[in-house]
Amino acid sequence: MPAFAWSAADWPTTEAEAIAEQERLRPLVQPHGPAPSTRPGAATGAHAATGGGPAPDDRLIAGVDVAYDEERDLVVAAAVVLDLDTLAVVEQTTAVDRVAFPYVPGLLAFRELPAVLGALGRLTRTPGAVVCDGYGLAHPRRLGLASHLGVLTGLRTIGVAKTPFTFDHHEPDAPRGSWSPLTDPATGEEVGRALRTRPGVKPVFVSVGHRIGLSEAVDTTLALARRYRLPETTRHADSLCRRTLAELQRGTPAN
DNA sequence: GCGACAG
DNA sequence: ATCTTGTCGC
């Protein structure tokens, strides 16, 4: 899945520019996405969905995550592709980059996506969907990390966050699979779901990224989180980017 | 102005 | 996210 077409030169530098970019991309998010045969390309180009690589394989699902070394201004991203049936790792890649943006609630995508796009671009296979560590439509301007990545790549994306952010929810019932609405206190609308992936354990927060519905996003999350609270995709991506950052630091001791 | 705030 | 000790449990 060759590198995606995006120029670092156009990446927002200020919060105002970043917010303007989110408003520009927001209308490009697709709820369920057209049938494969009529599916338009991503916002940046006709064949952006695969970056010019192989067609998406719905039997595969990817997970992405990043780790930081704030002191050296470094960010390491990891992309791990799993077989949706066996949850076996099919392929994994990493990418190192300079931190391109500070952490600002609501603008997380500008901090993490450059490196994530780099890792995804190194994959040989094209997954049918990508699970992100964060939110999708559940966002102040309805363009969280997951939705943003989806619009940029054309790939189907899902957002699975570990905390409620600024949203409201009631505790889901104890059984695995139970869920309750995640609502935006500002508008009252349902922006996602608090989902119990493990009996009696703190829920995860699922929201739609791009080209998928909330129910399917929830089903996919449950399929990926059987033994642990978090999806296997994010667990693998998390350990890989941390491991990579650690050995990178080991080779470049403190200055 | 103050508090809250994905990762 | 990262920092950071010990502790309970499979």
Side-chain angles (χ1 to χ4, degrees):
Chain A
M1 183 161 63
F4 295 102
W6 68 285
S7 58
D10 295 334
W11 208 248
T13 299
T14 67
E15 292 189 22
E17 292 174 353
I19 291 174
E21 176 68 347
Q22 293 184 322
E23 316 253 75
R24 183 178 79 78
L25 300 178
R26 176 174 55 182
L28 301 180
V29 176
Q30 295 169 17
H32 289 258
S37 59
T38 58
R39 183 203 317 155
T44 52
H47 63 288
T50 63
D57 184 339
D58 288 330
R59 293 170 304 182
L60 306 177
I61 188 156
V64 294
D65 195 16
V66 303
Y68 302 95
D69 181 327
E70 217 56 69
E71 211 156 282
R72 295 169 199 172
D73 198 43
L74 292 180
V75 52
V76 176
V80 179
V81 177
L82 305 185
D83 178 302
L84 199 43
D85 295 317
T86 67
L87 298 189
V89 176
V90 171
E91 181 181 13
Q92 53 181 42
T93 59
T94 61
V96 181
D97 204 344
R98 293 283 215 172
V99 176
F101 209 86
Y103 171 65
V104 179
L107 301 179
L108 182 61
F110 298 98
R111 180 173 172 74
E112 310 203 329
L113 292 191
V116 168
L117 289 168
L120 284 174
R122 291 183 172 182
L123 290 175
T124 291
R125 314 293 299 277
T126 299
V130 180
V131 177
C132 300
D133 196 348
Y135 284 106
L137 287 184
H139 177 275
R141 288 168 292 281
R142 301 296 179 270
L143 193 85
L145 172 64
S147 298
H148 196 142
L149 177 63
V151 171
L152 254 38
T153 63
L155 295 170
R156 172 175 291 106
T157 60
I158 298 171
V160 180
K162 300 182 288 296
T163 66
F165 195 14
T166 61
F167 306 108
D168 296 329
H169 75 286
H170 288 303
E171 275 302 292
D173 289 330
R176 163 185 154 78
S178 300
W179 58 270
S180 59
L182 184 66
T183 59
D184 184 335
T187 66
E189 63 185 309
E190 176 178 49
V191 294
R193 287 177 185 172
L195 175 69
R196 190 83 71 186
T197 54
R198 290 289 294 166
V201 174
K202 186 183 191 296
V204 294
F205 305 87
V206 182
S207 61
V208 166
H210 182 60
R211 297 181 47 218
I212 191 171
L214 186 51
S215 292
E216 298 113 282
V218 165
D219 290 343
T220 300
T221 300
L222 281 174
L224 295 170
R226 296 188 175 292
R227 182 171 175 128
Y228 301 97
R229 175 195 175 222
L230 298 177
E232 288 297 317
T233 40
T234 65
R235 294 186 76 252
H236 276 102
D238 178 75
S239 76
L240 178 57
C241 64
R242 288 205 217 188
R243 204 159 58 229
T244 304
L245 175 62
E247 45 192 60
L248 193 160
Q249 298 173 314
R250 188 164 288 204
T252 307
N255 280 321

